[in-house]
Structures are given as C-alpha cells and as structure tokens.
C-alpha cells in the first residue's frame, strides 16, 4: 500500500541552493529551445507537415519548440489505436495502473525544476508560479494513483443472506483530454492521469500555446513504460482536430478545461449522437470564472490587501480562480483602494526567464493582449482608472497591473471574464449588498471573504454560491486533496479535481450479484 497522500512542498527560492538549481534548469531548457516534437500515436512518433510554433510570450521571437500539428486523419488513426488499446488496458489491474502514476510522479519530482523552467519559457510563469504548477501535477499523480486503489477496493453494499454482491468501477472507453495553457502541466497531467488510471485510453490534445510541456510529460510516460496507445499525443487546432475528436462516435467522454465558450460548444457537440454511436458521451467541463473577494468593514486589513493583490495579479491574472472583482464595504472603501494601489505599484514585472525576482510576467499571446487592452478601454467608460491601464515595457506581451474603482456591479468589466491583470473595485453599501453583488455573475468558481465577524463568514458559507470558498485567505492556490477544485453555474459541470469524487467521473459502476 502506498503511504498516506501528502502535498508536494513548494520550493523556497530565497535559499541560494534552490535558486541555483532553478537557474541551472533554465540554462538546460534554454539550450534545448526550438526542438521539434512529433505526434505520438500508439507509441510511434509521427512527423506532420504543419507544425505548431510555441513561443516565449516574454520574447515572442524566441521559439520554445515546434510541435506536430495533427490533421483529422491523424486524429482518426489515434482514435482507432486508442479503441484497440482499450481492449487490453481496461483489463489491467487497477493497482498496476496506479503504479504508473507513482513512477511518473517520482520521475517528475526528479525533473521538477526542469518542468518549471519549461513553463517559465512557454507560458511566462514566474518561478514560484511554475513551481506551484509542477508541484500540483505531482500531487495529482500521487493522489489519483491512491484514489484508483481506493475505488478498486471492495465497495460497501447492504448485505442480504441469499446473494453475494459486488460493485466495481469500470472504465468508460476512449476519452478526449483537452487542457488549457494556463496550468499547462498541472491540469494537463491531472486530467490525463485521472483518465488513464481509471482504465480508459486517451487522446491528449494540448493547447496550441503550450504543446511543449505536454510533450515533456509524454517523455515521462514513455520512460515509465506506459503501454503504447494508452495516451496518444495529438496537438492541433481546436476547431479542426478538437471538433473531430469531440464529434467522433468512438469517443466516450471528453475531459475539458478552458473557456466558457469552448466548453459550451463541446457540450453541444458531444450531446448530438453520431452514426454508429451507442452511448451518451460524458463531458467533464471546467470553465471560466469571475471571482470575487468580499472585504468586510471589520477584517484584518493588511491580510485582505495582500490577499486581493496576490489573487488579482499572480500569473498576470490568468487563473480561472483569479480575483477580478473586489467588493469592499463602504465604510473602508476609500482607505482600502488607496492602500491597494500603493501595494500594486510595488509589483515587479518583467521577463521571468531572465529576471528571477519578478512577480508578474507577460500575458500569453498577442490576441490575449489585445483582448485585455480592449477591456481596459471599456473599463475607462465604466469606472475610474487608478492604476496601470497600458502595455508595460518590454518586447513581450506585458500589461501593467490595472485597477478600476467605482465600478458598478453590472458593468461589463464586473461581469465578464477578462483573464488578465485587471481588477474592478466595487463599493458595497453593507454586507447584504456585498453578497448580492458577489452572486450577480453567471459564474461560480472561487470566492473569498475577509471578515472578523463570524456571523458574516457563516453567511458566506450559505449564501456565496461558488465551488471554492475561502475565509480570510486569497481565492487562488487550491491544493490537491485539501481543496477539491471546480465551480458552479457557467464555471463548469460541478466536478472537483483533486477530490474523492473525481475518478468517479471517468468510470461507470457495475453491480454484480450471485445467488448463493
Ligand atoms: P480555450 O477554451 O481557448 O482552450 C482550451 C482548450 O480547448 C485548448 O486546448 C484549445 O485548443 C481547445 N479547443 C479550442 N476550440 C476547440 C474546439 N472547437 N473543440 C475542441 N477543443 C477546442 O481556453 P484557454 O485560453 O486555453 O484557457 C483559459 C480558460 O480556461 C479561461 O476561461 C479559464 O477560466 C479556464 N480555466 C478554467 C479552469 C477551471 O478549473 N475551471 C482552470 C483553468 C482554466
């Protein structure tokens, strides 16, 4: 039996030994930039005519790697291979399947800083953010491995004298795993490993903004000896290869994390049965957020300030859990906003691959940059710009941390997901008003409340409708096993990654009875 699950510790980069290890990893990765990564179908590497060019958002002329770009023919081949492989993989003992995850976790732990360094280059994470992402991926492998063993155990059933009864969680079939670029290791590894440890076979279609780190994970799966065809690596355009695999009659389920728009599109496509399809496809959809922090008049003021700016501007606000609206009690609104602006002005920003101490890097790509700047223009008509509001210095896609005050609860920048470093400060008349505002979006992912009033915390527990609610701490940074993660309403299908219900979503329970 494996030991009890424990979260992977984060790295303290203020320790010179750790800082040196990360600098070395960045140097190693830098010497490997620009390489090519093939598709992997049935264990065979396959070159493609077109390639996806993955670039460093802090220095867009720097190519991180060139991945293969699958066509629908490649996707078809991968589905056939995955369908064939399912016949054998689904029969492998669940404990044996779990072993692959434990081995992968051990290898990833050895290459921890290297994985983080790839993310620094490929998606512009700061060192600490990248380290958290890698640690979370290791956690998912360790957690879901243990979970598979638990699901494979005898399940509690009501006993009757005339029968011997048993309930088994069996796999579903071929799954499409479609992760986003913003947690390109953690979410990609989490969804993929949950799918295959449950006995399914997988087509992994990473984001076109982060195909290289996914190829690095494939190296790990090859090294641990995962049988060919269990996980097939098919990067490609969402609209082409994504749609193809979602619509395919042999696809049994889709595990997706990304935007509301794409999630709803997948849901619709998956709902329509295609010729030859003999099941209802299951969709596990984790989508966007518009997350609020409520700051009550009685609270630990300093803690609330830190909680808000770290939640709003960590990884440039590009987390589904990022605080993009802070709802402040009228009595402390002016004082809070002033201090928030002062603290935000101290945030260091720059290219995270060359400057270790910067808190904020670049946003993911040019179109994200333009979209965020458009929202900032809208914000100027909806509130008062009190900080930032422009591109920041540098060749890459840098946007200043931006704060708007006096934003109305129903303003566009208060309701729509911006997915960048833009924070709306909203004035609440009182705590009733604060709860009303907090629930006025179509999303329901994360939220926090800073208050020293116990009654108001208890009320939040009942009234603040989000999947992950925090009292007196930031609204980002969920830990596997500790804070099972996932949202309500348009934030997804109410699933909880890193929780005990998660593997259930990748299985179907079969009841077997024998007359005795
Ligand atoms: P996105 O929706 O643009 O893309 C996500 C994935 O879907 C990518 O791999 C993309 O290639 C693929 N895709 C695009 N069109 C497709 C199609 N027609 N068919 C199949 N696949 C298709 O999202 P993104 O920009 O990569 O990620 C950011 C979004 O993800 C934000 O909205 C964020 O809130 C959300 N997110 C949610 C969670 C969560 O747990 N709820 C976690 C992280 C990110």
């Amino acid at each position: 039996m494996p030991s009890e699950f424990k979260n992977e510790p984060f790295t303290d980069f203020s320790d010179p030994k750790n800082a040196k290890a990360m600098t070395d990893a960045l140097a190693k990765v830098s010497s490997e930039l620009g390489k090519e990564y093939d598709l992997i179908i049935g264990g065979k590497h396959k070159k493609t005519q077109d390639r996806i060019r993955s670039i460093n958002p802090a220095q867009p002329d720097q190519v991180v790697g060139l991945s293969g770009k699958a066509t629908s023919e490649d996707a078809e081949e991968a589905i056939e291979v995955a369908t064939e492989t399912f016949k054998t993989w689904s029969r492998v003992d669940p404990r044996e399947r779990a072993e692959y995850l434990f081995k992968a976790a051990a290898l990833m732990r050895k290459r921890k800083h290297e994985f983080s360094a790839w993310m620094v280059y490929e998606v512009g994470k700061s060192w600490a953010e990248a380290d958290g992402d890698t640690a979370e991926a290791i956690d998912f492998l360790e957690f879901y491995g243990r979970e598979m063993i638990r699901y494979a155990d005898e399940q509690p059933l009501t006993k009757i004298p005339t029968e011997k009864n048993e309930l088994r969680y069996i796999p579903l079939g071929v799954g499409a795993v479609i992760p986003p670029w913003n947690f390109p290791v953690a979410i990609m590894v989490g969804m993929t490993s949950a799918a295959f440890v449950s006995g399914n076979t997988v087509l992994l279609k990473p984001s076109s903004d982060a195909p290289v780190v996914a190829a690095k994970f494939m190296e790990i799966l090859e090294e641990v000896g995962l049988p060919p065809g269990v996980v097939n690596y098919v990067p490609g355009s969402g609209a082409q290869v994504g749609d193809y695999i979602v619509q395919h009659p042999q696809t049994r389920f889709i595990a997706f994390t990304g935007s509301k728009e794409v999630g709803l599109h997948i849901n619709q496509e998956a709902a329509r049965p295609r010729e030859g399809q003999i099941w209802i496809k299951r969709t596990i959809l984790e989508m966007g957020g518009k997350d609020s922090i409520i700051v009550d008049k009685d609270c630990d003021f300093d803690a609330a300030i830190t909680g808000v700016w770290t939640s709003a501007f960590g990884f440039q606000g590009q987390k589904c859990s990022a605080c993009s609206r802070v709802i402040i009690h009228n009595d402390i609104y002016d004082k809070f906003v002033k201090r928030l602006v002062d603290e935000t002005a101290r945030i260091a920003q720059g290219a995270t691959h060359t400057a270790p101490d910067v808190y904020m890097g670049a946003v993911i790509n040019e179109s994200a940059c333009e979209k965020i700047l458009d929202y900032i223009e809208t914000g100027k008509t909806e509130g008062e710009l009190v900080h930032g509001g422009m591109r920041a210095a540098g060749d890459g896609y840098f946007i200043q941390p931006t704060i708007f005050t006096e934003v109305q609860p129903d303003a566009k920048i208060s309701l729509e997901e911006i997915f960048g470093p833009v924070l709306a400060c909203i004035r609440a008349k009182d705590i009733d008003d604060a709860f009303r505002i907090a629930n006025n979006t179509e999303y329901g992912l994360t939220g926090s409340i800073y208050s020293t009033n116990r009654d108001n915390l208890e009320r939040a527990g009942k009234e603040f409708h989000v999947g992950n609610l925090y009292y007196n701490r930031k609204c980002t940074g969920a830990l596997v096993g500790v804070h099972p993660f996932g949202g309500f309403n348009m934030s997804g299908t109410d699933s909880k990654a890193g929780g005990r219900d998660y593997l259930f979503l990748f299985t179907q329970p079969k009841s077997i009875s024998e007359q005795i």
Side-chain angles (χ1 to χ4, degrees), residues 42-207:
K44 293 199 185 75
H45 288 236
K46 185 175 181 188
K47 298 225 172 296
T48 57
Q49 202 167 8
D50 288 344
R51 303 229 144 229
I52 297 171
R53 199 165 162 271
S54 177
I55 53 113
N56 177 354
Q59 195 181 314
D61 62 355
Q62 185 172 57
V63 178
V64 174
L66 295 163
S67 88
K69 189 172 183 188
T71 59
S72 40
E73 287 77 29
D74 297 317
E76 180 63 41
E77 186 188 338
I79 288 176
E80 282 165 24
V81 164
T83 304
E84 198 52 35
T85 311
F86 180 71
K87 292 177 189 160
T88 46
W89 180 245
S90 57
R91 303 288 169 89
V92 172
D93 186 281
R95 288 163 195 84
E96 199 182 313
R97 297 198 303 252
E99 277 305 315
Y100 289 105
L101 270 62
F102 299 140
K103 284 186 190 148
L107 282 184
M108 203 170 225
R109 199 172 281 119
K110 272 196 201 150
R111 290 172 63 181
K112 192 170 177 179
H113 296 316
E114 186 199 329
F115 267 89
S116 302
W118 279 109
M119 281 187 276
V120 168
Y121 275 100
E122 195 168 32
V123 297
K125 291 216 167 196
S126 69
W127 289 19
E129 292 287 350
D131 181 65
D133 198 320
T134 310
E136 189 178 353
I138 295 169
D139 281 352
F140 278 134
L141 291 165
E142 295 281 5
F143 186 80
Y144 293 144
R146 285 165 176 76
E147 278 296 284
M148 190 63 248
I149 294 170
R150 187 174 70 81
Y151 274 75
D153 267 356
E154 187 184 335
Q155 299 300 318
L157 294 173
T158 303
K159 304 243 182 282
I160 56 170
T162 51
E163 284 178 10
K164 189 169 148 244
N165 291 306
E166 180 192 354
L167 188 83
R168 291 182 196 165
Y169 288 99
I170 66 166
L172 295 168
V174 175
V177 172
I178 307 179
W181 52 265
N182 75 326
F183 281 85
V185 176
I187 293 179
M188 179 270 302
V189 168
M191 293 200 297
T192 306
S193 60
F196 79 77
V197 79
S198 305
N200 306 292
T201 52
V202 170
L203 269 71
L204 167 60
K205 195 218 79 63
S207 162

Side-chain angles (χ1 to χ4, degrees), residues 20-31:
K20 161 108 180 38
M22 185 65 187
T23 309
D24 291 350
L26 284 162
K28 177 182 186 309
V29 165
S30 161
S31 72

Side-chain angles (χ1 to χ4, degrees), residues 178-183 187 205-208 236 238-239 242-243 246 256-260 262 265-266 286-289 320 417 419 445 485 491:
I178 307 179
W181 52 265
N182 75 326
F183 281 85
I187 293 179
K205 195 218 79 63
S207 162
S208 299
D243 271 344
V246 167
F256 163 86
T257 305
S259 59
K260 179 191 93 175
V262 175
H265 168 74
I266 288 176
E286 326 238 2
M287 302 175 352
C320 53
E417 185 180 47
F419 220 56
L445 191 47
F485 188 82
S491 292

Side-chain angles (χ1 to χ4, degrees), residues 7 29 34 88 113 132 135 158 178 253 292 322 381 396 403 425 466 468 491 513:
N7 295 106
V29 165
T88 46
H113 296 316
T158 303
I178 307 179
F253 68 96
S292 309
T381 67
I403 302 177
C425 300
V466 290
N468 286 75
S491 292
S513 298

Side-chain angles (χ1 to χ4, degrees), residues 265-478:
H265 168 74
I266 288 176
N267 199 38
Q268 206 165 16
E269 290 298 317
R272 189 144 62 89
R274 316 280 155 162
E275 204 181 325
Q277 185 180 323
I278 58 164
W279 45 63
I280 300 168
K281 286 178 192 170
R282 189 174 296 172
T283 53
I284 305 149
L285 308 169
E286 326 238 2
M287 302 175 352
K290 187 71 190 175
D291 311 301
S292 309
I293 295 183
I294 294 177
V295 184
D296 198 0
K297 66 179 163 49
D298 300 313
C299 68
D300 179 337
F301 193 83
D302 289 344
I305 290 283
T306 308
V308 169
W309 74 257
T310 50
S311 303
F313 303 124
F315 190 33
Q316 298 77 268
Q318 301 171 115
K319 299 183 190 177
C320 53
S321 55
C323 168
S324 53
R325 24 194 259 148
V326 52
I327 302 162
I328 310 156
H329 194 292
N330 185 47
D331 291 5
I332 60 162
Y333 186 91
D334 296 327
K335 185 176 155 207
F336 191 89
V337 165
K338 185 177 177 317
R339 196 42 211 293
L340 185 64
V341 170
D342 290 347
E343 292 298 325
T344 303
R346 277 193 256 278
I347 295 176
Q349 189 168 21
T352 54
H353 64 294
T354 51
D357 295 334
V358 291
Y359 186 76
M360 281 178 69
V363 301
I364 190 68
N365 56 33
E366 181 63 37
S367 73
C369 211
E370 283 166 15
K371 181 179 156 201
I372 297 163
L373 290 169
D374 273 356
Y375 271 112
I376 290 175
E377 286 312 305
T378 303
K380 288 178 187 167
T381 67
E382 293 183 325
E384 192 187 331
L385 177 67
V386 291
H387 193 270
M390 292 196 299
R391 285 184 99 120
D395 297 334
Y397 307 121
F398 295 101
I399 297 188
Q400 296 173 331
T402 297
I403 302 177
F404 288 100
T405 59
E406 305 301 350
V407 176
Q408 291 305 306
D410 58 354
K412 211 169 156 189
I413 62 160
S414 162
L415 296 178
E416 295 180 14
E417 185 180 47
I418 301 173
F419 220 56
V422 181
L423 177 66
C425 300
I426 304 171
R427 194 185 284 271
K429 288 197 280 290
D430 50 30
I431 196 71
D432 294 336
D433 197 31
F435 286 131
R436 188 188 57 75
I437 297 166
N439 286 332
N440 81 336
T441 78
E442 62 181 344
Y443 296 104
L445 191 47
T446 75
S448 297
I449 172 166
Y450 282 87
S451 179
T452 45
N453 180 327
R454 191 75 224 168
D455 290 344
N456 289 345
L457 295 180
E458 297 301 336
R459 267 190 73 183
K462 295 189 192 100
E463 294 179 32
F464 196 165
H465 192 60
V466 290
N468 286 75
L469 177 65
Y470 302 102
Y471 297 164
N472 294 317
R473 58 147 281 184
K474 61 181 184 162
C475 65
T476 56

